[in-house]
Amino acid sequence: MAFEIVHLTADSAELAVWLGRAEGVHRVLRPQLGAGYEAAMRRVLADGAQMALLHEAGVVRALAVFRAYRNTWNGYRFYVDDLVTDETRRSAGYGGALLRWCEALAQAWGCTAFTLESGVQRGAAHRFYFREGMTIEAFSFVKALTG
């Protein structure tokens, strides 16, 4: 079956419908989003992120959350927050297709770097990114802040 990719922004007309369809796949990667998935994603999108959903006949198979911004290291950077494929559909080409779609969008936007971070425990994802021509250029350091 052929797939399609839907590009969503904070003001997309069918955002609620697509978020409802994407939630199960997205929670595989981000279970910490809690019970209010739609509200959480609306906040992320309102802050400038966008979302791409790869689907077959309305069934989400993979998704990406991304944004573009300028920084001192990469210039105009296309940053992928999340890239995840339905666990039951891995190795079917969906992740690669969505990654290439994101790369094409980054080029169309004039970005000078295509970047993402991946948790150290995600070995299979790292192998995928290496196969897709990505390299490790930096470490990401995190310190949790309390309010």
Side-chain angles (χ1 to χ4, degrees), residues 36-108:
Y37 175 79
E38 182 179 338
M41 288 310 301
R42 284 185 180 278
R43 285 190 299 275
V44 169
L45 295 172
D47 284 343
Q50 297 183 29
M51 192 173 204
L53 305 175
L54 184 150
H55 71 93
E56 290 178 315
V59 178
V60 174
R61 302 296 188 198
L63 68 87
V65 178
F66 56 88
R67 61 192 77 228
Y69 61 93
R70 295 187 191 287
N71 69 11
T72 58
W73 178 41
N74 298 119
Y76 192 34
R77 174 185 200 180
F78 189 98
Y79 179 75
V80 179
D81 294 28
D82 299 336
L83 177 68
V84 62
T85 301
D86 179 337
E87 285 182 301
T88 66
R89 302 293 180 145
R90 297 233 166 104
S91 297
Y94 301 125
L98 193 52
L99 190 68
R100 286 185 293 281
W101 183 91
C102 286
E103 287 179 33
L105 183 61
Q107 289 179 330

